[in-house]
């Protein structure tokens, strides 16, 4: 036991030094631990059980979840770079995909056991969520033990599903708009051992199906997609409701029933489908929809349809910000809650009418595919943070405005910061007017602007300790943030961040044992002012700046974008001709990991060919011009050679910047 007594002042001092305070002046504080990083980036909230931080301050990936085995993401990226796989790189963890399928099926199995439900669950993966061949092939393989099937929402997706699915017990749900060819292809696939269910989305499809069935002498399994009144809320709320693009309204469902009955095909109608939109954040919305759908289901049964399947569509949400709330970037329920509600609701509706319970189907895409990929990219450089330049007092003969602004700057206090802010803004506006009329020199204007930013920074430092931030000062944090330039195209790799303001967790994958003292926004490689990220996940709402580390000389800085495995890849576009990124598939083995597939990103030749340029022609053009310039003595032979070398090399390489 220690015999020395600390003075209370010393104890206080010691205590204080252990409390990590706000990174407010760009100076690293002494004690920053990986626990501080865990809390700051909320990695447990959105990343459990796959992502965490190790003692080295790197992101760790446990692709098999709780079932053991992990790897250091930073080490993996280094190893990939040694194999000449540059950044940005999309890393797919096939074990995560497998774990997601296992998890979803386990939750339904548990719910079925808990409610003694006498039916089964047969999930399907909606191909539109991620159509990449290796991923769909993995899915089918991992789904085998659970008879997990596929859902096609278009003719091309049907072609993928037909060729990839090879499990007779798995369902093939055929959604989307259909023509005769679609319908006949789906029906004929029954002869190959598939179990296609053709879901009627439009009334026009009813005669099509009747005709195809007669012609092919195949009795199909049919479903109807109901337009529910219960709606999802938020971004995809319009997927259901009276004005929804898809599905049949109640009178149309009845008309379909009559037409099928007249064609002696009512026994073919066996499935009811609904989909109220993606990323449903509130469990109450799912329950409302289920209740309505269950009633339609039992009524269809009573009308004579041989009902046996209920397809609850997609919508199972992802907790992007880890807040467990009904905020749009979160969800207030677990997969288990979801499965329990589906099973219990259907059980109750059927037993009330003494009907056998249906096989349950869900078309969860986002919930299965989001976690499996991580996009790692590097920071190319930063722009200065305004307001950090040292400020010298103005000389006695300096412009009056400059002297007054300096006085303001030296008098910022907790009591007057809002007033000081307004004064500073006014001084700056006045300075610009004076400058425009020729009464202020460029040097003087520069001094005013520097002082203005210094003032704002002082105010911001006070503000960060306040509970309440007045509206007019809310943007201060963002305007004083640095900009980090990232080797990435938002349009190619995270289109939803641009198109619909979707939030994805973004964080450094190393240096997590160091305090991130900079507050930044991100700007991408494109020449588009929308190519930026200025909204980040936060426990409450959204934050406008992300805490990152100052760059070190000669040391790359890597960021990871997580939970982007659903929808982003196919919706990504070629804005500014930035192509697909490199992709690798990582599979865990007893000895560590194995790189299963490498899919090289687009080369410039490939991207240019999408817009009809032929690289041979392009090279020939440059060669001819060089010869002319050579003849005219405007270029040396060495310069011409170097130019052509660069040109040809670029064509055969990655569209992103190379930093090594
Ligand atoms: C998009 C879609 C899905 C997938 O939705 P998630 O929210 O990603 O699970 C399922 N079914 C249909 C009909 C869809 O259009």
């Amino acid at each position: 036991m220690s015999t020395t007594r600390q003075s209370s002042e010393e104890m206080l001092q010691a205590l204080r030094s252990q409390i990590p305070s706000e990174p407010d002046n760009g100076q690293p504080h002494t004690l920053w631990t990986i626990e501080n990083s865990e809390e700051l980036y909320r990695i447990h909230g959105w990343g459990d059980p796959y992502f965490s931080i190790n003692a080295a301050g790197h992101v760790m990936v446990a692709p098999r979840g709780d079932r053991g085995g992990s790897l250091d993401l930073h080490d993996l990226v280094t190893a990939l770079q040694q194999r000449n796989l540059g950044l940005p790189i999309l890393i797919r963890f096939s074990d995560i995909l497998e774990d997601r399928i296992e998890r979803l099926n386990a939750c339904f199995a548990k719910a079925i056991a808990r409610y003694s439900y006498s039916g089964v669950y047969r999930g399907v993966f909606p191909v539109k969520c991620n159509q990449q061949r290796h991923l769909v092939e993995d899915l089918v393989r991992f789904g085998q033990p659970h008879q997990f099937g596929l859902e096609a929402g278009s003719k091309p997706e049907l072609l993928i599903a037909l060729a990839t699915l090879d499990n007779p017990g798995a369902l093939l749900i055929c959604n989307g708009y259909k023509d005769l060819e679609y319908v006949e292809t789906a029906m004929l696939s029954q002869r190959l051992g598939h179990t296609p269910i053709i879901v009627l989305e439009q009334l026009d499809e009813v005669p099509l199906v009747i005709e195809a069935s007669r012609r092919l002498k195949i009795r199909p399994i049919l479903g109807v997609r109901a337009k529910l009144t219960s709606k999802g809320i938020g971004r995809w709320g319009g997927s259901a409701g009276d004005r929804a693009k898809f599905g049949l309204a109640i009178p149309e469902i009845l008309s379909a029933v009559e037409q099928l009955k007249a064609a002696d095909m009512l026994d073919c109608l066996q499935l009811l489908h609904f989909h109220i939109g993606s990323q449903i954040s509130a469990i109450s919305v799912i329950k409302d929809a289920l209740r309505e759908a269950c009633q339609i289901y039992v009524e269809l049964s009573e009308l004579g349809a041989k009902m046996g399947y209920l397809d609850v569509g997609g919508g199972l949400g992802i907790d992007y910000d880890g807040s467990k709330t009904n905020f749009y970037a979160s969800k207030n329920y677990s997969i288990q809650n979801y499965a329990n509600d589906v099973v219990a609701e259907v059980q109750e509706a059927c037993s009330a009418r003494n009907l056998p319970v249906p096989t349950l189907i869900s078309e969860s895409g986002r919930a299965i595919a989001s976690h499996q990929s991580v996009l790692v990219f590097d920071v190319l450089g930063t722009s200065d943070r305004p307001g950090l330049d040292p400020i010298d007092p103005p000389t006695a003969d300096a412009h009056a405005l400059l002297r007054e602004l300096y006085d303001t700057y030296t008098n910022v206090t907790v009591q007057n910061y809002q007033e000081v802010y307004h004064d500073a803004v006014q001084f700056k506006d006045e300075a610009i007017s004076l400058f425009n009329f020729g009464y202020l020199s460029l040097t003087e204007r520069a001094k005013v602007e520097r002082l203005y930013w210094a003032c704002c920074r002082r105010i911001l430092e006070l503000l960060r300790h306040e509970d309440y931030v007045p509206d007019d000062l809310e943007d201060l944090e963002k305007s004083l943030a640095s900009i980090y330039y990232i080797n990435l195209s938002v349009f190619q790799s995270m289109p939803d961040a641009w198109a619909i303001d979707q939030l994805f967790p973004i964080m450094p994958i190393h240096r997590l044992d160091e305090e991130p003292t900079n507050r930044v926004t991100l700007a991408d490689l494109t020449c588009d002012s929308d190519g930026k990220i200025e909204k980040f996940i936060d426990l409450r709402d959204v934050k406008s700046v992300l805490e990152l580390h100052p760059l070190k000389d000669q040391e790359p800085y890597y960021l990871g974008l997580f939970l982007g495995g659903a929808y982003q890849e196919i919706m990504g576009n070629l804005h500014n001709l930035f192509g697909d990124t490199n992709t690798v598939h990582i599979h865990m083995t007893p000895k560590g990991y194995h790189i299963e597939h490498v899919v090289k990103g687009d080369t410039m030749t490939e991207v240019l060919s999408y817009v009809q340029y032929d690289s041979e022609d392009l090279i020939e053009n440059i060669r001819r011009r060089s010869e002319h310039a050579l003849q005219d003595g405007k270029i040396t032979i060495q310069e011409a050679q170097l130019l052509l070398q660069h040109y040809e090399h670029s064509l055969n390489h990655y569209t992103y910047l190379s930093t090594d």
Side-chain angles (χ1 to χ4, degrees):
M1 201 199 269
S2 162
T3 50
T4 48
R5 291 190 60 180
Q6 284 180 312
S7 74
S8 56
E9 187 52 45
E10 275 170 344
M11 270 157 62
L12 254 178
Q13 203 69 45
L15 259 177
R16 268 195 213 114
S17 70
Q18 284 173 24
I19 303 170
S21 62
E22 292 281 291
D24 50 11
N25 52 8
Q27 294 302 309
H29 292 264
T30 40
L31 270 172
W32 182 268
T33 61
I34 58 165
E35 284 77 20
N36 296 123
S37 286
E38 283 171 353
E39 196 178 328
L40 176 65
Y41 299 114
R42 311 200 42 69
I43 190 166
H44 288 308
W46 54 260
D48 272 346
Y50 309 111
F51 306 107
S52 60
I53 301 175
N54 66 14
H58 297 172
V59 168
M60 281 291 274
V61 188
R64 292 158 44 80
D66 313 319
R67 292 173 297 156
S70 60
L71 57 82
D72 180 312
L73 186 58
H74 185 261
D75 292 355
L76 174 64
V77 170
T78 311
L80 292 172
Q81 283 185 314
Q82 285 164 352
R83 288 166 175 76
N84 216 3
L85 289 162
L87 301 182
I89 190 163
L90 188 74
I91 307 173
R92 259 197 243 293
F93 296 97
S94 34
D95 301 273
I96 294 189
L97 195 63
E98 183 171 13
D99 193 79
R100 297 305 292 175
I101 293 185
E102 296 285 328
R103 225 165 256 271
L104 181 62
N105 280 283
C107 287
F108 269 98
K110 208 166 157 188
I112 282 171
R114 175 173 167 183
Y115 295 99
S116 309
Y117 189 83
S118 53
V120 293
Y121 168 70
R122 291 274 177 274
V124 292
F125 176 73
V127 175
K128 80 153 189 270
C129 213
N130 196 323
Q131 304 96 335
Q132 306 293 323
R133 175 163 67 93
H134 298 302
L135 185 134
V136 178
E137 286 174 356
D138 275 352
L139 255 159
V140 167
R141 190 155 44 90
F142 300 145
Q144 209 89 15
H146 309 286
Q147 318 260 48
F148 209 76
L150 294 175
E151 183 260 2
S154 66
K155 240 204 272 189
E157 288 179 0
L158 176 69
L159 304 189
I160 293 177
L162 285 184
T164 314
L165 203 60
D166 64 350
N167 181 352
L171 301 175
L172 199 175
I173 304 288
C174 304
N175 286 332
Y177 297 113
K178 302 167 197 73
D179 57 12
L180 191 61
E181 189 176 53
Y182 182 132
V183 169
E184 289 196 352
T185 308
M187 283 187 194
L188 284 166
S189 77
Q190 252 173 261
R191 302 274 194 239
L192 300 182
H194 282 306
T195 313
I197 302 186
I198 300 171
V199 180
L200 304 166
E201 301 232 16
Q202 302 282 309
L203 213 43
D204 297 347
E205 291 169 6
V206 182
L208 222 57
V209 162
I210 294 174
E211 185 193 329
S213 166
R214 279 207 187 117
R215 236 184 13 206
L216 301 173
K217 301 201 168 39
I218 294 177
R219 290 191 80 76
I221 308 178
L222 301 177
V224 279
R225 175 168 180 170
K227 233 183 225 182
L228 298 187
T229 304
S230 322
K231 284 197 199 200
I233 36 175
R235 181 64 59 190
W236 290 276
S239 308
D242 295 337
R243 297 285 306 153
K245 181 171 154 191
F246 317 96
L248 303 182
I250 301 299
E252 291 172 321
I253 293 182
L254 284 182
S255 157
V257 165
E258 277 154 25
Q259 291 178 57
L260 288 172
K261 194 170 183 178
D264 195 23
M265 281 178 70
L266 192 52
D267 60 321
C268 293
L269 179 58
Q270 298 178 19
L271 175 144
L272 178 73
H273 172 234
F274 70 91
H275 173 69
I276 53 168
S278 204
Q279 183 63 13
I280 306 292
S281 298
I283 189 82
S284 55
V285 173
I286 294 171
K287 286 192 190 194
D288 288 346
L290 272 167
R291 205 156 296 146
E292 188 181 351
C294 284
Q295 285 317 307
I296 301 175
Y297 179 90
V298 296
E299 289 286 335
L300 282 174
S301 226
E302 311 229 312
L303 285 174
K306 220 175 104 199
M307 300 304 284
Y309 299 96
L310 181 67
D311 179 349
V312 300
L316 180 54
I318 288 287
D319 198 355
Y320 293 97
D321 68 9
S323 68
K324 297 190 167 65
T325 59
N326 65 359
F327 188 55
Y328 68 89
S330 186
K331 56 166 186 162
N332 65 2
Y333 58 94
S334 66
I335 303 182
Q336 191 62 61
N337 296 152
Y338 175 79
N340 288 349
D341 281 345
V342 170
V343 171
E345 201 69 50
V346 176
Q347 169 97 303
E348 197 182 302
C350 289
S351 74
R353 299 282 189 107
N354 253 327
L355 285 172
V357 295
T359 291
L360 296 171
I361 303 166
S362 80
E363 303 172 344
S364 308
R366 188 183 294 274
I368 284 192
S370 292
H371 296 75
Q372 50 82 33
S373 69
V374 179
L375 181 72
V376 177
F377 53 100
D378 48 336
V379 174
L380 299 166
T382 69
S383 81
D384 286 345
R385 303 199 290 161
L388 284 177
D389 305 314
I391 300 291
D392 295 326
T395 50
D397 60 346
H399 197 285
L401 195 135
L402 202 58
R403 280 181 283 127
E404 284 175 70
L405 182 54
Y406 184 78
D407 275 349
T408 312
Y409 164 71
T410 47
N411 284 313
V412 186
T413 64
V414 187
Q415 282 76 36
N416 71 1
Y417 62 76
Q418 192 170 17
E419 187 189 337
V420 166
Y421 174 70
H422 293 145
D423 290 349
V425 170
Q426 202 185 338
F427 282 131
K428 189 183 73 152
D429 290 349
E430 263 174 53
I432 292 171
S433 303
L434 288 171
F435 174 78
N436 288 347
F437 285 111
Y439 297 122
L440 205 65
S441 72
L442 197 64
T443 318
E444 286 170 319
R445 179 171 162 185
K447 283 184 182 162
V448 169
E449 289 194 16
R450 220 174 283 146
L451 248 177
Y452 167 78
W453 287 116
C455 243
C456 290
R457 189 161 290 280
R458 278 207 171 163
I459 294 165
L460 182 64
E461 275 152 23
L462 292 174
L463 264 184
R464 283 182 185 153
H465 301 285
E466 299 289 294
D467 296 332
Y468 168 75
V469 178
D471 283 355
D472 45 354
L473 296 179
E474 254 182 1
D475 284 338
L476 221 46
E477 187 77 77
K478 196 160 111 187
S479 47
L480 289 171
S482 333
I483 300 175
Y484 274 37
Y485 297 93
I486 54 176
N487 196 12
L488 180 84
S489 158
V490 165
F491 303 91
Q492 173 62 257
S493 293
M494 43 188 305
D496 279 346
W498 157 65
I500 57 173
D501 273 338
Q502 190 179 323
L503 300 174
F504 293 99
I506 296 174
M507 65 179 281
I509 64 164
H510 57 141
R511 295 176 64 184
L512 294 163
D513 50 356
E514 272 175 56
E515 181 170 359
T517 49
N518 283 355
R519 294 176 186 224
V520 323
T521 63
L522 304 176
D524 80 353
L525 283 180
T526 67
C527 301
D528 191 310
S529 53
D530 278 346
K532 61 187 176 190
I533 309 169
E534 296 185 335
K535 291 199 174 100
F536 304 94
I537 61 157
D538 200 8
L539 182 55
R540 284 179 198 82
D541 213 342
V542 171
K543 58 185 181 187
S544 56
V545 291
L546 180 66
E547 291 84 347
L548 292 181
H549 303 87
L551 297 194
K552 288 184 184 162
D553 262 357
Q554 307 298 325
E555 192 185 300
Y557 188 54
Y558 300 138
L559 300 177
L561 175 127
F562 297 83
L563 308 187
Y567 300 111
Q568 303 315 296
E569 280 168 67
I570 204 63
M571 299 221 281
N573 62 56
L574 292 172
H575 194 12
N576 265 150
L577 301 184
F578 289 107
D580 277 344
T581 63
N582 289 326
T583 305
V584 292
H585 289 242
I586 302 294
H587 175 55
M588 297 303 279
T589 63
K591 286 197 202 129
Y593 63 84
H594 172 65
I595 304 176
E596 278 192 321
H597 311 284
V598 171
V599 185
K600 279 280 204 171
D602 289 324
T603 62
M604 297 195 201
T605 293
E606 285 169 306
V607 164
L608 288 169
S609 74
Y610 298 148
V611 279
Q612 293 86 46
Y613 291 93
D614 180 85
S615 56
E616 296 299 317
D617 291 351
L618 293 172
I619 294 170
E620 182 55 17
N621 177 305
I622 301 302
R623 194 196 57 76
R624 229 179 305 127
R625 284 180 185 222
S626 306
E627 284 301 326
H628 283 305
L630 203 59
Q631 272 170 13
D632 297 346
K634 289 182 182 157
I635 196 170
T636 66
I637 184 83
Q638 287 80 10
E639 287 170 334
Q641 276 310 301
L642 186 62
L643 174 61
L644 263 173
Q645 245 174 43
H646 281 329
Y647 200 93
E648 289 191 49
H649 182 270
S650 296
L651 280 171
N652 294 320
H653 283 81
Y654 212 14
T655 54
Y656 296 90
L657 297 191
S658 147
T659 45
D660 34 68

